[in-house]
Structures are given as C-alpha cells and as structure tokens.
Amino acid sequence: MLGATAGWSLAGVFVRFMPGLDGWQINCWRGFWMSVFLLAYLVAVYGNRTFAKFREIPLPALLTVAGFFSAGSTLYVTSLTLAGTATVSVIGALSPIFAGVLSPWLTHEKPSLASWLAAVMAVAGVAIIAWDGFSAGNITGILVALLVPLSFSVQTMMLRRYRAFDMVPAICAGGFATFFLAGVLGHVFGGHPGGGFQVNIHDMLLLALMGPLQLSIPLVWYARGAKAVPAVTLTLVAMLDVVLNPLWSWLGAGEVPTRAAFLGGLVIFSAVAISIFGDRLLAGRRLQAA
C-alpha cells in the first residue's frame, strides 16, 4: 500500500508537463492507458485464462469496483470545477471515516478505537495543509466532492470483501469505463469539440507513460494490499498521497512546502502510524497491566 500511494502521488509531476490539458482529457487517456497496461499484465500472468479471471469475479463485485472507480475519477474532476482544490482535498480526507462507518456491513470488520482516532487525525492533517486555500464553495460542489471519498472507500471495501479473487480485472474494466465517460463529458463540460478524447501526440505519449506508472502498477499493489490490510488502514495509507505530492514538487521543482504542509504532513504520518501499530501497542499495554 505504501508503494501504491507513492505511485499515485506522482500525478502532480506528470500534470506539470501537460499544462494545456484539462482534467477531462487527462482522466480520459490516463484511464485508457492504465487499462491497456493492466490487460497486458493480466495476459502475461494468466495467458489464455485472462477472460476467465474476469468471469470468476462475482458480477456484483465486478460492477461495483469498476463503477465506483470510474465514478470516483469522474466525480473528482467534476468537483474541482465546482469547488476549490483545498475544499476538495479536505473532503477527500473523509474516506477513512466513510470506511469506518460502512466496513461493519460491507467487510464485516469493526474498526478499533485506534483506527477511529487515526481517521480523525488524518482529516485534521489535511485540513491544516489546505487551510490557507480553503474556501467553502457552493453546496453543489461540496455534495459532489463528498461522493469522491465515498466512491474510494466503497471501492476499497469491495476489494477487501472479495479478496479471495484477483480484483485487477474489475479495476481494468473501470479504467475503460472512465475512458469513455471522461471522453464524452469532456465535450459536454470541457468545451472541446473532440471531448476528452482530443489530445495532441506529445501529451498522448506522456499519458501513455502516466497511465502505467501512476495508476496501473500502484493499483496492482493496491489490490494485493487489500488482501491483507483492513479497509480503514487502506484508506488512511492512501492519505499519504497528500504529503508525498508536494514532496516530489519540492525535490523536483524546488517548490518549498509551507509550514502548514510540514505540520499537516506530520499529523497525517502520525495517523497512519497509529492505524498500523496502535492496536498492537494497546494490546501490549493491556497484557502488561494484566
């Protein structure tokens, strides 16, 4: 999961090299190349059993993971057009809370006290980082932004619930769905004659690199991580993306993070550590007390 989060955090670096594209165009072709790479990965692993692996996944799980992946990606782009980036970031940090509330029903895992504490800390950490640019936004933007962490948390919990299956095929299907959805919506909302499909050759080559490196490989690790890591911890580790994204900009472009970014990042790192190690420490203290 740490490897997956490190890969996701490269998004900002790639976007810097494509200033002429909007979210619809990036989301469209990033999703396409992600799924092409995932399909090639599945063929390399399973050979002529590849499509059997798609059929092995229970249909509700396949449709839910693919649907929520596509919906989350599309809603994220939409939310950025309706509310400020800081607002969307803070609301996005609610995914561990959603996972904690829903996991008893979807994964039959009851979050511990340490997990709840870590989830609240993660939201606080993101809020500290985004405080300077925070804007309330309109109610529509906030409602759409709320659907982003909900989509991510449900997708995560379904991967966790159906961990007996290889769920990479479901994510692959979601990428192709995102390609068509973002492509069409790029025409409706982006104002491009060719919709989200309209991309020049230079940017297409970058997107063909971004898809595998920033999404495909991390998502394979993400699906594998879901086999062993509880849903709340999965979503909390993913919050490290908020810390790593500005870190790469600092190292690569010399953009020094603000003091709030350092403080918020420390809070988020602490939250993840509590989620991973908190239960063990508490259990050890109970045994010592006994």
Side-chain angles (χ1 to χ4, degrees):
M1 267 307 299
L2 288 170
T5 304
W8 289 333
S9 69
L10 295 174
V13 176
F14 276 103
V15 170
R16 285 180 177 279
F17 293 103
M18 298 178 284
L21 300 187
D22 65 14
W24 300 112
Q25 294 165 308
I26 293 173
N27 212 34
C28 173
W29 286 104
R30 183 185 67 159
F32 174 81
W33 290 114
M34 177 204 82
S35 288
V36 167
F37 183 90
L38 287 181
L39 191 57
Y41 161 80
L42 290 168
V43 170
V45 173
Y46 296 113
N48 58 11
R49 295 187 296 121
T50 298
F51 290 102
K53 288 295 177 180
F54 280 84
R55 294 192 297 271
E56 279 181 12
I57 301 173
L59 187 58
L62 178 66
L63 294 177
T64 302
V65 171
F68 276 97
F69 176 85
S70 182
S73 299
T74 305
L75 287 166
Y76 177 70
V77 175
T78 305
S79 66
L80 290 174
T81 67
L82 299 172
T85 303
T87 303
V88 174
S89 297
V90 173
I91 293 175
L94 294 175
S95 56
I97 304 294
F98 283 123
V101 171
L102 297 175
S103 58
W105 290 274
L106 293 181
T107 65
H108 306 297
E109 295 172 332
K110 186 177 180 181
S112 64
L113 178 61
S115 295
W116 280 116
L117 174 61
V120 173
M121 284 181 64
V123 176
V126 175
I128 291 171
I129 294 173
W131 182 258
D132 289 339
F134 188 80
S135 59
N138 57 50
I139 187 65
T140 303
I142 291 174
L143 290 175
V144 172
L146 278 170
L147 295 175
V148 176
L150 178 62
S151 297
F152 180 71
S153 59
V154 171
Q155 175 193 340
T156 299
M157 287 183 287
M158 292 303 284
L159 290 177
R160 179 71 179 152
R161 177 169 180 169
Y162 291 95
R163 57 187 178 274
F165 301 92
D166 186 347
M167 296 298 289
V168 172
I171 300 173
C172 180
F176 283 124
T178 302
F179 168 66
F180 289 107
L181 190 59
V184 173
L185 291 179
H187 173 72
V188 177
F189 298 107
H192 305 292
F197 304 111
Q198 184 179 327
V199 175
N200 62 50
I201 297 298
H202 173 267
D203 291 334
M204 180 66 76
L205 292 175
L206 285 172
L207 288 164
L209 182 63
M210 182 183 186
L213 290 181
Q214 193 263 323
L215 272 185
S216 302
I217 296 173
L219 283 168
V220 170
W221 291 342
Y222 170 57
R224 291 184 179 276
K227 294 179 180 294
V229 181
V232 174
T233 302
L234 282 169
T235 54
L236 278 163
V237 174
M239 287 297 97
L240 290 175
D241 171 60
V242 179
V243 181
L244 294 175
N245 229 315
L247 175 63
W248 304 139
S249 297
W250 181 22
L251 297 177
E255 293 184 4
V256 181
T258 64
R259 184 177 298 179
F262 282 110
L263 178 58
L266 179 61
V267 173
I268 294 172
F269 270 116
S270 300
V272 174
I274 289 173
S275 177
I276 296 173
F277 303 110
D279 291 330
R280 295 178 184 177
L281 292 174
L282 289 174
R285 290 188 176 183
R286 291 194 194 100
L287 287 175
Q288 289 178 355

Short mmCIF file of all heavy atoms in Angstrom, two decimals, residues 136-204:
data_model
loop_
_atom_site.label_atom_id
_atom_site.label_comp_id
_atom_site.label_asym_id
_atom_site.label_seq_id
_atom_site.Cartn_x
_atom_site.Cartn_y
_atom_site.Cartn_z
N ALA A 136 -15.23 27.68 1.14
CA ALA A 136 -16.41 26.85 1.39
C ALA A 136 -16.98 26.28 0.11
O ALA A 136 -17.46 25.15 0.08
CB ALA A 136 -17.48 27.68 2.11
N GLY A 137 -16.93 27.04 -1.00
CA GLY A 137 -17.52 26.54 -2.24
C GLY A 137 -19.03 26.53 -2.15
O GLY A 137 -19.61 26.81 -1.10
N ASN A 138 -19.69 26.22 -3.24
CA ASN A 138 -21.14 26.15 -3.19
C ASN A 138 -21.59 24.77 -2.76
O ASN A 138 -20.81 23.82 -2.74
CB ASN A 138 -21.75 26.54 -4.56
CG ASN A 138 -21.22 25.65 -5.67
OD1 ASN A 138 -21.24 24.45 -5.56
ND2 ASN A 138 -20.75 26.26 -6.75
N ILE A 139 -22.85 24.67 -2.43
CA ILE A 139 -23.38 23.42 -1.88
C ILE A 139 -23.29 22.28 -2.89
O ILE A 139 -23.02 21.14 -2.53
CB ILE A 139 -24.85 23.62 -1.41
CG1 ILE A 139 -25.35 22.38 -0.69
CG2 ILE A 139 -25.75 23.98 -2.59
CD1 ILE A 139 -24.62 22.08 0.60
N THR A 140 -23.48 22.60 -4.18
CA THR A 140 -23.38 21.56 -5.21
C THR A 140 -21.97 20.99 -5.26
O THR A 140 -21.77 19.77 -5.33
CB THR A 140 -23.77 22.12 -6.59
OG1 THR A 140 -25.08 22.66 -6.52
CG2 THR A 140 -23.71 21.02 -7.65
N GLY A 141 -20.97 21.89 -5.23
CA GLY A 141 -19.59 21.44 -5.27
C GLY A 141 -19.23 20.58 -4.07
O GLY A 141 -18.53 19.57 -4.20
N ILE A 142 -19.72 20.95 -2.90
CA ILE A 142 -19.44 20.18 -1.69
C ILE A 142 -20.10 18.80 -1.75
O ILE A 142 -19.49 17.79 -1.39
CB ILE A 142 -19.91 20.95 -0.45
CG1 ILE A 142 -19.04 22.19 -0.24
CG2 ILE A 142 -19.89 20.07 0.80
CD1 ILE A 142 -19.49 23.10 0.87
N LEU A 143 -21.33 18.75 -2.24
CA LEU A 143 -22.04 17.47 -2.34
C LEU A 143 -21.34 16.54 -3.33
O LEU A 143 -21.20 15.33 -3.08
CB LEU A 143 -23.49 17.70 -2.76
CG LEU A 143 -24.39 18.36 -1.71
CD1 LEU A 143 -25.77 18.65 -2.29
CD2 LEU A 143 -24.52 17.45 -0.48
N VAL A 144 -20.90 17.09 -4.46
CA VAL A 144 -20.19 16.28 -5.45
C VAL A 144 -18.86 15.81 -4.87
O VAL A 144 -18.47 14.64 -5.01
CB VAL A 144 -19.96 17.07 -6.75
CG1 VAL A 144 -19.05 16.29 -7.71
CG2 VAL A 144 -21.28 17.37 -7.44
N ALA A 145 -18.15 16.71 -4.17
CA ALA A 145 -16.87 16.35 -3.56
C ALA A 145 -17.03 15.25 -2.51
O ALA A 145 -16.15 14.41 -2.35
CB ALA A 145 -16.22 17.59 -2.94
N LEU A 146 -18.14 15.25 -1.80
CA LEU A 146 -18.40 14.21 -0.79
C LEU A 146 -18.51 12.82 -1.42
O LEU A 146 -18.21 11.80 -0.79
CB LEU A 146 -19.68 14.53 -0.02
CG LEU A 146 -19.56 15.52 1.13
CD1 LEU A 146 -20.94 15.92 1.63
CD2 LEU A 146 -18.73 14.93 2.27
N LEU A 147 -18.94 12.78 -2.67
CA LEU A 147 -19.10 11.49 -3.35
C LEU A 147 -17.75 10.88 -3.73
O LEU A 147 -17.67 9.67 -3.97
CB LEU A 147 -19.96 11.66 -4.60
CG LEU A 147 -21.42 12.06 -4.36
CD1 LEU A 147 -22.13 12.32 -5.68
CD2 LEU A 147 -22.15 11.00 -3.56
N VAL A 148 -16.70 11.70 -3.78
CA VAL A 148 -15.37 11.19 -4.15
C VAL A 148 -14.81 10.26 -3.07
O VAL A 148 -14.47 9.11 -3.37
CB VAL A 148 -14.41 12.36 -4.45
CG1 VAL A 148 -13.01 11.82 -4.75
CG2 VAL A 148 -14.92 13.19 -5.62
N PRO A 149 -14.70 10.69 -1.80
CA PRO A 149 -14.21 9.75 -0.78
C PRO A 149 -15.16 8.59 -0.54
O PRO A 149 -14.72 7.49 -0.19
CB PRO A 149 -14.07 10.63 0.47
CG PRO A 149 -15.00 11.78 0.25
CD PRO A 149 -14.94 12.03 -1.22
N LEU A 150 -16.46 8.81 -0.75
CA LEU A 150 -17.41 7.71 -0.61
C LEU A 150 -17.13 6.65 -1.67
O LEU A 150 -17.11 5.44 -1.38
CB LEU A 150 -18.84 8.24 -0.75
CG LEU A 150 -19.94 7.18 -0.68
CD1 LEU A 150 -19.93 6.48 0.68
CD2 LEU A 150 -21.32 7.82 -0.92
N SER A 151 -16.88 7.08 -2.92
CA SER A 151 -16.58 6.14 -4.00
C SER A 151 -15.30 5.37 -3.71
O SER A 151 -15.24 4.15 -3.89
CB SER A 151 -16.44 6.90 -5.33
OG SER A 151 -17.64 7.53 -5.69
N PHE A 152 -14.26 6.10 -3.26
CA PHE A 152 -12.99 5.44 -2.98
C PHE A 152 -13.11 4.43 -1.84
O PHE A 152 -12.56 3.32 -1.91
CB PHE A 152 -11.92 6.48 -2.63
CG PHE A 152 -10.57 5.90 -2.33
CD1 PHE A 152 -9.79 5.35 -3.33
CD2 PHE A 152 -10.08 5.89 -1.02
CE1 PHE A 152 -8.56 4.79 -3.05
CE2 PHE A 152 -8.84 5.34 -0.73
CZ PHE A 152 -8.07 4.80 -1.75
N SER A 153 -13.85 4.80 -0.79
CA SER A 153 -13.97 3.90 0.36
C SER A 153 -14.78 2.65 0.00
O SER A 153 -14.42 1.55 0.41
CB SER A 153 -14.59 4.63 1.54
OG SER A 153 -15.87 5.14 1.23
N VAL A 154 -15.85 2.82 -0.79
CA VAL A 154 -16.65 1.64 -1.19
C VAL A 154 -15.82 0.73 -2.09
O VAL A 154 -15.84 -0.50 -1.94
CB VAL A 154 -17.94 2.08 -1.91
CG1 VAL A 154 -18.66 0.87 -2.51
CG2 VAL A 154 -18.87 2.81 -0.94
N GLN A 155 -15.09 1.33 -3.03
CA GLN A 155 -14.22 0.54 -3.90
C GLN A 155 -13.20 -0.24 -3.07
O GLN A 155 -12.97 -1.44 -3.30
CB GLN A 155 -13.49 1.47 -4.87
CG GLN A 155 -12.47 0.78 -5.75
CD GLN A 155 -11.56 1.78 -6.44
OE1 GLN A 155 -11.87 2.94 -6.58
NE2 GLN A 155 -10.40 1.31 -6.87
N THR A 156 -12.61 0.42 -2.09
CA THR A 156 -11.62 -0.23 -1.23
C THR A 156 -12.24 -1.38 -0.44
O THR A 156 -11.67 -2.47 -0.35
CB THR A 156 -11.03 0.80 -0.24
OG1 THR A 156 -10.38 1.83 -0.98
CG2 THR A 156 -10.04 0.14 0.71
N MET A 157 -13.43 -1.15 0.10
CA MET A 157 -14.07 -2.19 0.91
C MET A 157 -14.50 -3.38 0.06
O MET A 157 -14.47 -4.53 0.53
CB MET A 157 -15.25 -1.59 1.67
CG MET A 157 -14.80 -0.71 2.83
SD MET A 157 -16.18 -0.06 3.80
CE MET A 157 -16.84 1.15 2.67
N MET A 158 -14.88 -3.14 -1.19
CA MET A 158 -15.25 -4.27 -2.06
C MET A 158 -14.01 -5.08 -2.43
O MET A 158 -14.08 -6.31 -2.53
CB MET A 158 -15.94 -3.74 -3.31
CG MET A 158 -17.31 -3.12 -3.04
SD MET A 158 -18.47 -4.26 -2.22
CE MET A 158 -18.92 -5.30 -3.60
N LEU A 159 -12.87 -4.41 -2.63
CA LEU A 159 -11.63 -5.16 -2.86
C LEU A 159 -11.29 -6.01 -1.64
O LEU A 159 -10.82 -7.14 -1.76
CB LEU A 159 -10.48 -4.18 -3.14
CG LEU A 159 -10.51 -3.44 -4.47
CD1 LEU A 159 -9.34 -2.47 -4.55
CD2 LEU A 159 -10.46 -4.40 -5.65
N ARG A 160 -11.53 -5.45 -0.47
CA ARG A 160 -11.25 -6.16 0.77
C ARG A 160 -12.22 -7.33 0.96
O ARG A 160 -11.81 -8.44 1.33
CB ARG A 160 -11.37 -5.17 1.94
CG ARG A 160 -11.14 -5.76 3.31
CD ARG A 160 -9.70 -6.11 3.52
NE ARG A 160 -9.49 -6.67 4.86
CZ ARG A 160 -8.54 -7.51 5.17
NH1 ARG A 160 -7.67 -7.92 4.25
NH2 ARG A 160 -8.40 -7.96 6.40
N ARG A 161 -13.50 -7.10 0.68
CA ARG A 161 -14.51 -8.14 0.87
C ARG A 161 -14.29 -9.33 -0.07
O ARG A 161 -14.46 -10.48 0.33
CB ARG A 161 -15.90 -7.55 0.64
CG ARG A 161 -17.02 -8.57 0.74
CD ARG A 161 -18.37 -7.93 0.77
NE ARG A 161 -19.44 -8.90 0.87
CZ ARG A 161 -20.71 -8.59 1.11
NH1 ARG A 161 -21.06 -7.32 1.30
NH2 ARG A 161 -21.63 -9.52 1.19
N TYR A 162 -13.89 -9.02 -1.31
CA TYR A 162 -13.71 -10.10 -2.30
C TYR A 162 -12.22 -10.38 -2.52
O TYR A 162 -11.78 -10.64 -3.63
CB TYR A 162 -14.39 -9.70 -3.61
CG TYR A 162 -15.89 -9.68 -3.51
CD1 TYR A 162 -16.58 -8.51 -3.24
CD2 TYR A 162 -16.64 -10.86 -3.64
CE1 TYR A 162 -17.96 -8.48 -3.12
CE2 TYR A 162 -18.01 -10.86 -3.52
CZ TYR A 162 -18.67 -9.67 -3.26
OH TYR A 162 -20.04 -9.65 -3.13
N ARG A 163 -11.45 -10.35 -1.44
CA ARG A 163 -10.01 -10.55 -1.53
C ARG A 163 -9.62 -11.96 -1.94
O ARG A 163 -8.45 -12.20 -2.27
CB ARG A 163 -9.34 -10.18 -0.21
CG ARG A 163 -9.85 -10.92 1.01
CD ARG A 163 -9.23 -10.33 2.27
NE ARG A 163 -9.69 -10.95 3.51
CZ ARG A 163 -10.79 -10.60 4.16
NH1 ARG A 163 -11.55 -9.63 3.69
NH2 ARG A 163 -11.14 -11.20 5.29
N ALA A 164 -10.56 -12.88 -1.93
CA ALA A 164 -10.26 -14.24 -2.38
C ALA A 164 -10.08 -14.28 -3.90
O ALA A 164 -9.54 -15.26 -4.44
CB ALA A 164 -11.38 -15.20 -1.96
N PHE A 165 -10.53 -13.24 -4.59
CA PHE A 165 -10.41 -13.17 -6.05
C PHE A 165 -9.35 -12.14 -6.43
O PHE A 165 -9.05 -11.23 -5.66
CB PHE A 165 -11.75 -12.74 -6.68
CG PHE A 165 -12.89 -13.66 -6.37
CD1 PHE A 165 -13.71 -13.42 -5.26
CD2 PHE A 165 -13.18 -14.75 -7.17
CE1 PHE A 165 -14.77 -14.25 -4.97
CE2 PHE A 165 -14.23 -15.59 -6.88
CZ PHE A 165 -15.04 -15.35 -5.78
N ASP A 166 -8.79 -12.31 -7.63
CA ASP A 166 -7.92 -11.27 -8.18
C ASP A 166 -8.83 -10.20 -8.74
O ASP A 166 -9.53 -10.41 -9.74
CB ASP A 166 -7.03 -11.85 -9.29
CG ASP A 166 -6.01 -10.84 -9.79
OD1 ASP A 166 -6.14 -9.64 -9.46
OD2 ASP A 166 -5.09 -11.25 -10.52
N MET A 167 -8.85 -9.02 -8.11
CA MET A 167 -9.78 -7.96 -8.48
C MET A 167 -9.20 -6.98 -9.50
O MET A 167 -9.85 -6.00 -9.87
CB MET A 167 -10.21 -7.19 -7.23
CG MET A 167 -11.00 -8.03 -6.24
SD MET A 167 -12.55 -8.67 -6.92
CE MET A 167 -13.52 -7.17 -7.02
N VAL A 168 -7.97 -7.26 -9.98
CA VAL A 168 -7.39 -6.39 -11.01
C VAL A 168 -8.26 -6.32 -12.26
O VAL A 168 -8.40 -5.25 -12.85
CB VAL A 168 -5.95 -6.84 -11.35
CG1 VAL A 168 -5.40 -6.08 -12.55
CG2 VAL A 168 -5.04 -6.63 -10.14
N PRO A 169 -8.89 -7.42 -12.70
CA PRO A 169 -9.78 -7.31 -13.87
C PRO A 169 -10.91 -6.30 -13.67
O PRO A 169 -11.30 -5.60 -14.62
CB PRO A 169 -10.33 -8.74 -14.02
CG PRO A 169 -9.25 -9.61 -13.47
CD PRO A 169 -8.71 -8.84 -12.31
N ALA A 170 -11.44 -6.20 -12.45
CA ALA A 170 -12.52 -5.24 -12.19
C ALA A 170 -12.01 -3.81 -12.33
O ALA A 170 -12.69 -2.93 -12.87
CB ALA A 170 -13.10 -5.47 -10.80
N ILE A 171 -10.79 -3.55 -11.83
CA ILE A 171 -10.20 -2.22 -11.96
C ILE A 171 -9.93 -1.92 -13.42
O ILE A 171 -10.12 -0.78 -13.89
CB ILE A 171 -8.91 -2.12 -11.13
CG1 ILE A 171 -9.20 -2.38 -9.65
CG2 ILE A 171 -8.25 -0.76 -11.30
CD1 ILE A 171 -7.97 -2.47 -8.78
N CYS A 172 -9.48 -2.92 -14.16
CA CYS A 172 -9.23 -2.77 -15.58
C CYS A 172 -10.51 -2.34 -16.31
O CYS A 172 -10.49 -1.41 -17.14
CB CYS A 172 -8.71 -4.08 -16.16
SG CYS A 172 -8.36 -4.06 -17.93
N ALA A 173 -11.62 -2.98 -16.00
CA ALA A 173 -12.91 -2.62 -16.61
C ALA A 173 -13.29 -1.18 -16.23
O ALA A 173 -13.82 -0.44 -17.06
CB ALA A 173 -13.99 -3.60 -16.15
N GLY A 174 -12.99 -0.79 -15.00
CA GLY A 174 -13.29 0.57 -14.57
C GLY A 174 -12.50 1.61 -15.33
O GLY A 174 -13.00 2.71 -15.61
N GLY A 175 -11.26 1.30 -15.70
CA GLY A 175 -10.44 2.23 -16.47
C GLY A 175 -11.01 2.47 -17.85
O GLY A 175 -11.04 3.62 -18.34
N PHE A 176 -11.47 1.41 -18.51
CA PHE A 176 -12.07 1.58 -19.84
C PHE A 176 -13.38 2.37 -19.74
O PHE A 176 -13.70 3.19 -20.61
CB PHE A 176 -12.31 0.22 -20.49
CG PHE A 176 -11.07 -0.41 -21.04
CD1 PHE A 176 -10.67 -1.69 -20.64
CD2 PHE A 176 -10.27 0.26 -21.97
CE1 PHE A 176 -9.52 -2.27 -21.15
CE2 PHE A 176 -9.11 -0.32 -22.48
CZ PHE A 176 -8.73 -1.59 -22.08
N ALA A 177 -14.14 2.13 -18.67
CA ALA A 177 -15.38 2.90 -18.47
C ALA A 177 -15.06 4.37 -18.26
O ALA A 177 -15.76 5.26 -18.79
CB ALA A 177 -16.14 2.35 -17.26
N THR A 178 -13.98 4.66 -17.51
CA THR A 178 -13.56 6.05 -17.30
C THR A 178 -13.16 6.71 -18.61
O THR A 178 -13.46 7.89 -18.85
CB THR A 178 -12.36 6.09 -16.32
OG1 THR A 178 -12.75 5.48 -15.09
CG2 THR A 178 -11.91 7.51 -16.07
N PHE A 179 -12.49 5.96 -19.47
CA PHE A 179 -12.06 6.48 -20.78
C PHE A 179 -13.26 7.01 -21.56
O PHE A 179 -13.25 8.15 -22.05
CB PHE A 179 -11.36 5.35 -21.55
CG PHE A 179 -11.12 5.64 -23.01
CD1 PHE A 179 -10.24 6.65 -23.39
CD2 PHE A 179 -11.77 4.91 -23.98
CE1 PHE A 179 -10.01 6.91 -24.73
CE2 PHE A 179 -11.56 5.16 -25.33
CZ PHE A 179 -10.67 6.16 -25.71
N PHE A 180 -14.30 6.20 -21.67
CA PHE A 180 -15.48 6.63 -22.43
C PHE A 180 -16.24 7.74 -21.71
O PHE A 180 -16.69 8.71 -22.34
CB PHE A 180 -16.40 5.44 -22.69
CG PHE A 180 -15.85 4.45 -23.68
CD1 PHE A 180 -15.37 3.22 -23.27
CD2 PHE A 180 -15.80 4.78 -25.04
CE1 PHE A 180 -14.85 2.32 -24.19
CE2 PHE A 180 -15.27 3.88 -25.96
CZ PHE A 180 -14.79 2.65 -25.53
N LEU A 181 -16.38 7.62 -20.40
CA LEU A 181 -17.16 8.61 -19.64
C LEU A 181 -16.48 9.98 -19.67
O LEU A 181 -17.13 11.00 -19.96
CB LEU A 181 -17.32 8.13 -18.20
CG LEU A 181 -18.31 8.90 -17.32
CD1 LEU A 181 -19.69 8.89 -17.92
CD2 LEU A 181 -18.34 8.31 -15.91
N ALA A 182 -15.18 10.02 -19.37
CA ALA A 182 -14.46 11.30 -19.37
C ALA A 182 -14.36 11.87 -20.77
O ALA A 182 -14.38 13.10 -20.95
CB ALA A 182 -13.07 11.10 -18.77
N GLY A 183 -14.26 10.99 -21.75
CA GLY A 183 -14.19 11.47 -23.13
C GLY A 183 -15.45 12.21 -23.54
O GLY A 183 -15.40 13.29 -24.13
N VAL A 184 -16.60 11.64 -23.20
CA VAL A 184 -17.88 12.27 -23.54
C VAL A 184 -18.13 13.52 -22.71
O VAL A 184 -18.53 14.57 -23.23
CB VAL A 184 -19.03 11.25 -23.35
CG1 VAL A 184 -20.38 11.94 -23.54
CG2 VAL A 184 -18.88 10.09 -24.34
N LEU A 185 -17.88 13.43 -21.41
CA LEU A 185 -18.12 14.58 -20.54
C LEU A 185 -17.16 15.73 -20.83
O LEU A 185 -17.46 16.88 -20.55
CB LEU A 185 -18.01 14.16 -19.08
CG LEU A 185 -19.12 13.22 -18.57
CD1 LEU A 185 -18.88 12.86 -17.11
CD2 LEU A 185 -20.49 13.86 -18.73
N GLY A 186 -16.00 15.41 -21.40
CA GLY A 186 -15.07 16.46 -21.79
C GLY A 186 -15.65 17.34 -22.88
O GLY A 186 -15.30 18.52 -22.98
N HIS A 187 -16.54 16.78 -23.68
CA HIS A 187 -17.23 17.58 -24.71
C HIS A 187 -18.36 18.41 -24.08
O HIS A 187 -18.54 19.58 -24.39
CB HIS A 187 -17.81 16.67 -25.79
CG HIS A 187 -18.68 17.38 -26.78
ND1 HIS A 187 -18.17 18.24 -27.75
CD2 HIS A 187 -20.02 17.40 -26.94
CE1 HIS A 187 -19.16 18.73 -28.46
NE2 HIS A 187 -20.30 18.24 -27.99
N VAL A 188 -19.08 17.79 -23.14
CA VAL A 188 -20.23 18.45 -22.52
C VAL A 188 -19.79 19.58 -21.60
O VAL A 188 -20.30 20.70 -21.66
CB VAL A 188 -21.08 17.43 -21.74
CG1 VAL A 188 -22.23 18.13 -21.03
CG2 VAL A 188 -21.61 16.35 -22.68
N PHE A 189 -18.80 19.29 -20.72
CA PHE A 189 -18.39 20.27 -19.72
C PHE A 189 -17.05 20.95 -20.02
O PHE A 189 -16.79 22.05 -19.54
CB PHE A 189 -18.29 19.59 -18.34
CG PHE A 189 -19.59 19.04 -17.84
CD1 PHE A 189 -19.82 17.67 -17.83
CD2 PHE A 189 -20.59 19.89 -17.40
CE1 PHE A 189 -21.03 17.16 -17.36
CE2 PHE A 189 -21.79 19.39 -16.93
CZ PHE A 189 -22.02 18.01 -16.92
N GLY A 190 -16.20 20.29 -20.79
CA GLY A 190 -14.88 20.86 -21.07
C GLY A 190 -14.85 21.79 -22.26
O GLY A 190 -13.90 22.55 -22.44
N GLY A 191 -15.87 21.69 -23.11
CA GLY A 191 -15.93 22.58 -24.26
C GLY A 191 -15.03 22.21 -25.42
O GLY A 191 -14.80 23.00 -26.33
N HIS A 192 -14.49 20.98 -25.42
CA HIS A 192 -13.63 20.55 -26.52
C HIS A 192 -14.48 19.91 -27.61
O HIS A 192 -15.32 19.06 -27.32
CB HIS A 192 -12.59 19.54 -26.03
CG HIS A 192 -11.76 20.02 -24.89
ND1 HIS A 192 -10.86 21.05 -25.00
CD2 HIS A 192 -11.72 19.62 -23.59
CE1 HIS A 192 -10.28 21.26 -23.83
NE2 HIS A 192 -10.79 20.41 -22.96
N PRO A 193 -14.26 20.26 -28.87
CA PRO A 193 -15.01 19.63 -29.97
C PRO A 193 -14.86 18.11 -29.96
O PRO A 193 -15.81 17.38 -30.25
CB PRO A 193 -14.39 20.26 -31.23
CG PRO A 193 -13.83 21.55 -30.76
CD PRO A 193 -13.33 21.30 -29.37
N GLY A 194 -13.65 17.66 -29.64
CA GLY A 194 -13.40 16.22 -29.60
C GLY A 194 -13.55 15.63 -28.22
O GLY A 194 -13.20 14.47 -27.98
N GLY A 195 -14.09 16.40 -27.28
CA GLY A 195 -14.27 15.93 -25.91
C GLY A 195 -12.95 15.64 -25.24
O GLY A 195 -11.89 16.16 -25.62
N GLY A 196 -13.00 14.77 -24.24
CA GLY A 196 -11.78 14.38 -23.54
C GLY A 196 -10.83 13.58 -24.42
O GLY A 196 -9.67 13.40 -24.07
N PHE A 197 -11.33 13.11 -25.58
CA PHE A 197 -10.51 12.32 -26.49
C PHE A 197 -9.49 13.19 -27.23
O PHE A 197 -8.54 12.69 -27.81
CB PHE A 197 -11.39 11.61 -27.51
CG PHE A 197 -12.46 10.75 -26.91
CD1 PHE A 197 -13.80 11.09 -27.00
CD2 PHE A 197 -12.13 9.58 -26.24
CE1 PHE A 197 -14.79 10.30 -26.45
CE2 PHE A 197 -13.11 8.77 -25.67
CZ PHE A 197 -14.45 9.14 -25.77
N GLN A 198 -9.70 14.51 -27.23
CA GLN A 198 -8.89 15.44 -28.02
C GLN A 198 -7.57 15.75 -27.31
O GLN A 198 -7.51 16.59 -26.41
CB GLN A 198 -9.67 16.73 -28.26
CG GLN A 198 -8.95 17.74 -29.15
CD GLN A 198 -9.80 18.99 -29.36
OE1 GLN A 198 -11.02 18.91 -29.41
NE2 GLN A 198 -9.14 20.13 -29.47
N VAL A 199 -6.50 15.07 -27.74
CA VAL A 199 -5.17 15.23 -27.13
C VAL A 199 -4.12 15.18 -28.23
O VAL A 199 -4.22 14.37 -29.16
CB VAL A 199 -4.91 14.10 -26.11
CG1 VAL A 199 -3.50 14.18 -25.56
CG2 VAL A 199 -5.90 14.18 -24.95
N ASN A 200 -3.09 16.04 -28.13
CA ASN A 200 -2.03 16.02 -29.14
C ASN A 200 -1.06 14.87 -28.89
O ASN A 200 -1.08 14.24 -27.83
CB ASN A 200 -1.30 17.37 -29.20
CG ASN A 200 -0.60 17.71 -27.89
OD1 ASN A 200 0.14 16.91 -27.33
ND2 ASN A 200 -0.85 18.92 -27.38
N ILE A 201 -0.18 14.62 -29.87
CA ILE A 201 0.71 13.47 -29.81
C ILE A 201 1.68 13.56 -28.63
O ILE A 201 1.90 12.56 -27.92
CB ILE A 201 1.51 13.34 -31.13
CG1 ILE A 201 0.57 13.07 -32.31
CG2 ILE A 201 2.54 12.22 -31.01
CD1 ILE A 201 -0.22 11.78 -32.19
N HIS A 202 2.23 14.74 -28.38
CA HIS A 202 3.19 14.91 -27.27
C HIS A 202 2.55 14.53 -25.94
O HIS A 202 3.12 13.76 -25.14
CB HIS A 202 3.68 16.35 -27.24
CG HIS A 202 4.54 16.67 -26.04
ND1 HIS A 202 4.02 17.20 -24.88
CD2 HIS A 202 5.87 16.50 -25.81
CE1 HIS A 202 4.99 17.35 -23.99
NE2 HIS A 202 6.13 16.94 -24.53
N ASP A 203 1.35 15.07 -25.69
CA ASP A 203 0.66 14.78 -24.43
C ASP A 203 0.22 13.32 -24.38
O ASP A 203 0.20 12.72 -23.30
CB ASP A 203 -0.54 15.71 -24.26
CG ASP A 203 -0.11 17.15 -24.00
OD1 ASP A 203 0.99 17.35 -23.48
OD2 ASP A 203 -0.88 18.07 -24.33
N MET A 204 -0.13 12.77 -25.54
CA MET A 204 -0.55 11.36 -25.56
C MET A 204 0.58 10.45 -25.11
O MET A 204 0.37 9.48 -24.36
CB MET A 204 -1.00 10.97 -26.97
CG MET A 204 -1.46 9.53 -27.08
SD MET A 204 -2.97 9.24 -26.12
CE MET A 204 -4.18 10.02 -27.21
#
